[in-house]
Amino acid sequence: MIAVYDAQAAELADRYDRIGLLESYAGMSELIAPRGNSPLALDVGAGSGRDAAWLVTQGYEVVAVEPAAGMRVEGQRRHPAPGIRWLDDRMPGLVSVHGMALGFDLILVSAVWQHVAPADRARAFRKLITLLKPGGLMLMTLRHGPAPADRPMHPVSLNEVEGLARVNGVEVLRVVDKDDVMARSDVRWTMVALRMPDDGAGALPLIRGIILADDKSSTYKLALLRAVARIAEHAPATAVPAADDTDAIDIPLGLVALFWVRMYLPLVRAGLPQAPRNSGPDGLGFAKTGFRALLEQTFVPQELRVGATFSGDRARSVHAAIGEAAATIATMPANFIRFPNSDHRVFGAVKARAGRAADLLQLDIAILSTWGHLRVPGHVWRAMARLGAWIEPVLIAEWTRLIRNYGERMGCPSPIGQAEAALAWEEPIRDTTLGRMAAERLFAGAVEVRCVWSGSRLGLARLDIDHCLPWTAWPCGDLWNLMPSDRRINQHQKRDRLPSAGLLLDARDRILDWWDKAWLSDPALSGRFSRETAAALPVADPGDPGQVFAALEWRRLRLRQDQRVPEWLGAGSPSAVSIHTP
């Protein structure tokens, strides 16, 4: 079926790309009207891009999904609006869309459902509704009538959609029957609007219950939840869909253990109790040879991050500490965190033998996966990814309360603020040294360096190293995020704002040129560039700069949606800053 749309792309796009066809949405117009700031829509089976372009005029940013390459090309040619991002994906899995960890205010499934095989529809429906934000709307159009000879179609029915809605806990908001707007007498349409209730996923009550209501003999359950939340924020690209196609994702158990060790180092070093009668490393199941060596070697928590490299005794200590933590996570919190009134585990830990420690340890995804994986339910992962800013304070408050409670029972209460300080997730220092050193190396070799935003040629006097995605919104000093900028532009215009989609696209060639000159051509840094990219960005091949840039665009969109970061529209625009207030 996709091949037919691919081969006839130009002809079909001409047929469908008529503004008048938008009249079919007349009965749903007030439901489709955007609400809130920077609403995001998903157009599944976007075809010629007509609907996606219309949604942009209504105030949406749009992710347009189209599996036929020819139709995508036509759509991009006809509707080059910067508010549309095209993606090659398809139902029932929508694997690439789910990999972006985005939530949508509106999902449009127009004239597509008849192409989904009946056996795949339950899965496709579930995959669609799990992409909705709480209160989000999904609009489906169901085609009734004979299929064209060259495009076989499956029968559809309102009863089927209503049944899927009941099973998945979404509300059928409105149903409208329509004549065919292309005046085909034997074709009719049913439009169905479905809404996700505000608490439809149930993830936040579950997480809140684990944090506040679960029995706890230590802080381990809180540590596991926080490690997962931090991975969702800082290393979302490490998550892969569960192989058995359940609504779940797998993350490397070694990465969970790495973040676990990173969190506990300052707590144990400060002697803050993590269980009754605990002080220091004694009494903590994971604080064995490796963890104690990290304490003795004065490791700084910020060193324990994806992309870091260790050698000699430090490499062996980190390797051992990760293994010890992974074993504790699998047998303790992952084993005892259960769904309410059930023996069913929320997390599934599958531990593997990671092999012996080597003299050189590079903390990339492949290595961190050798300890096994942790399975996270899809709705829990989505809540962690989208609502981490709200979950984190509750976690910290409860962890602090437990520490004080343990200390008071032992007769050694901790001073106010000590636990909070030890629990702070310290990011690497805001350091642009490597970017400046790379630029200076290029200057010394008479290689030109240009401002990625203006294209002007730079010298040392005008050089600034800019965090493309601003540090204030997302503290990330990865190499791919460090870019040369004119000092005046960086300090007085862009500052801590997010480049708009159009501005970032305009800078694409200059960014790719910088990545190639500064990082990829340097044998000492190219590996680090790829490791950091693979963890932070949704990219299949971190060695392909074009794919890395596309992944950077997706990460920009997610930051815009999740945090509503003010946008910078460029120096020459009428309004250089776009700020939306609730």
Side-chain angles (χ1 to χ4, degrees):
M1 177 56 62
I2 292 173
V4 174
Y5 282 94
D6 203 8
Q8 302 179 26
E11 176 188 345
L12 292 173
D14 278 337
R15 189 183 310 170
Y16 298 146
D17 205 28
R18 286 186 277 155
I19 298 298
L21 299 183
L22 294 170
E23 293 175 5
S24 61
Y25 296 119
M28 301 286 183
S29 55
E30 77 276 17
L31 297 178
I32 297 174
R35 293 170 174 81
N37 298 317
S38 301
L40 185 63
L42 175 68
D43 186 3
V44 180
S48 69
R50 178 202 68 204
D51 293 358
W54 173 65
L55 288 172
V56 168
T57 68
Q58 303 301 298
Y60 286 95
E61 288 189 84
V62 182
V63 175
V65 169
E66 175 52 55
M71 292 299 287
R72 286 198 309 277
V73 170
E74 281 292 317
Q76 291 170 0
R77 181 181 68 81
R78 292 165 178 267
H79 305 287
I84 305 175
R85 286 197 49 76
W86 288 83
L87 192 63
D88 178 8
D89 207 356
R90 64 204 64 196
M91 289 195 288
L94 292 173
V95 174
S96 295
V97 179
H98 277 270
M100 302 303 168
L102 290 165
F104 296 89
D105 301 277
L106 172 67
I107 297 178
L108 197 60
V109 188
S110 180
V112 174
W113 198 242
Q114 69 270 16
H115 295 311
V116 181
D120 291 331
R121 285 179 180 165
R123 179 190 177 204
F125 193 91
R126 172 172 56 81
K127 290 288 188 179
L128 285 165
I129 62 103
T130 54
L131 291 166
L132 281 172
K133 293 178 182 177
L137 183 79
M138 181 162 74
L139 185 61
M140 303 179 70
T141 59
L142 310 179
R143 184 187 191 279
H144 310 288
D150 58 346
R151 281 170 283 148
M153 298 174 184
H154 305 283
V156 298
S157 73
L158 175 61
N159 287 339
E160 178 192 44
V161 172
E162 290 177 331
L164 291 170
R166 284 193 297 271
V167 169
N168 289 277
V170 292
E171 173 190 6
V172 178
L173 198 61
R174 183 175 300 175
V175 176
V176 177
D177 290 320
K178 290 271 189 179
D179 292 332
D180 182 53
V181 292
M182 297 177 70
R184 290 170 293 191
S185 59
D186 55 353
V187 176
R188 287 187 57 79
W189 298 86
T190 299
M191 301 180 67
V192 188
L194 306 110
R195 183 168 59 193
M196 170 66 75
D198 286 347
D199 271 334
L204 283 179
L206 172 64
I207 294 168
R208 185 179 184 277
I210 296 169
I211 295 172
L212 300 178
D214 262 19
D215 292 332
K216 301 178 184 70
S217 58
S218 70
T219 59
Y220 287 2
K221 289 182 179 179
L222 301 177
L224 178 54
L225 286 177
R226 195 180 184 208
V228 173
R230 283 292 166 180
I231 291 169
E233 172 64 22
H234 292 279
T238 61
V240 297
D244 60 4
D245 197 43
T246 56
D247 182 22
I249 59 95
D250 292 331
I251 53 179
L253 184 57
L255 180 55
V256 181
L258 177 70
F259 280 16
W260 174 286
V261 172
R262 176 174 174 166
M263 288 185 293
Y264 274 113
L265 263 180
L267 293 166
V268 175
R269 191 171 279 150
L272 292 167
Q274 302 305 305
R277 299 178 297 281
N278 160 247
S279 179
D282 296 336
L284 300 177
F286 64 89
K288 298 179 180 176
T289 305
F291 186 86
R292 290 170 186 262
L294 298 187
L295 291 173
E296 294 171 2
Q297 294 167 359
T298 63
F299 263 81
V300 177
Q302 297 95 303
E303 294 181 81
L304 301 173
R305 58 186 297 274
V306 177
T309 300
F310 304 98
S311 60
D313 288 342
R314 290 170 68 84
R316 287 183 283 274
S317 298
V318 172
H319 190 279
I322 292 174
E324 294 159 2
T328 296
I329 291 166
T331 57
M332 296 296 289
N335 187 36
F336 290 111
I337 295 177
R338 308 292 176 98
F339 286 97
N341 305 313
S342 169
D343 288 332
H344 186 63
R345 297 178 181 88
V346 174
F347 301 103
V350 177
K351 193 167 183 314
R353 295 180 63 87
R356 301 181 60 136
D359 286 335
L360 183 68
L361 176 64
Q362 291 184 331
L363 294 179
D364 57 21
I365 303 308
I367 288 295
L368 293 168
S369 297
T370 60
W371 278 278
H373 68 264
L374 183 78
R375 177 154 296 184
V376 183
H379 67 310
V380 172
W381 177 255
R382 289 186 290 274
M384 294 290 198
R386 299 170 190 169
L387 304 172
W390 286 268
I391 294 170
E392 173 86 353
V394 182
L395 274 167
I396 296 302
E398 178 63 8
W399 201 330
T400 301
R401 188 192 68 80
L402 284 181
I403 290 172
R404 288 180 181 149
N405 185 44
Y406 296 149
E408 288 169 358
R409 286 159 58 183
M410 295 166 60
C412 52
S414 59
I416 298 295
Q418 184 183 23
E420 290 86 347
L423 282 164
W425 184 271
E426 297 290 345
E427 296 295 341
I429 297 172
R430 183 170 181 165
D431 186 6
T432 58
T433 302
L434 279 175
R436 182 164 290 276
M437 289 175 61
E440 291 174 351
R441 168 173 54 83
L442 295 174
F443 290 149
V447 178
E448 69 176 25
V449 176
R450 294 187 176 272
C451 171
V452 296
W453 306 121
S454 68
S456 62
R457 188 166 181 172
L458 298 175
L460 278 176
R462 293 172 52 199
L463 173 70
D464 249 6
I465 299 299
D466 176 32
H467 290 85
C468 176
L469 305 182
W471 180 274
T472 53
W474 192 45
C476 175
D478 290 353
L479 298 184
W480 56 265
N481 199 34
L482 301 178
M483 299 178 185
S485 171
D486 183 287
R487 180 168 297 166
R488 179 180 56 84
I489 290 176
N490 188 36
Q491 296 185 11
H492 300 288
Q493 296 180 23
K494 180 176 182 285
R495 295 183 289 178
D496 57 355
R497 296 174 175 87
L498 192 66
S500 69
L503 195 63
L504 187 62
L505 183 60
D506 182 66
R508 180 182 188 276
D509 290 344
R510 294 186 291 272
I511 291 173
L512 294 181
D513 181 63
W514 164 253
W515 284 345
D516 179 62
K517 291 175 179 176
W519 315 126
L520 299 177
S521 62
D522 187 335
L525 294 173
S526 60
R528 173 174 167 175
F529 179 90
S530 296
R531 290 192 299 274
E532 292 176 344
T533 299
L537 300 179
V539 58
D541 181 3
D544 181 340
Q547 288 193 34
V548 175
F549 182 84
L552 168 61
E553 292 181 298
W554 285 112
R555 184 69 209 199
R556 189 214 72 86
L557 178 60
R558 179 178 163 191
L559 201 61
R560 176 67 172 152
Q561 286 293 313
D562 289 353
Q563 296 191 31
R564 297 291 191 259
V565 182
E567 285 189 310
W568 179 54
L569 306 179
S573 63
S575 175
V577 179
S578 172
I579 299 178
H580 298 274
T581 55

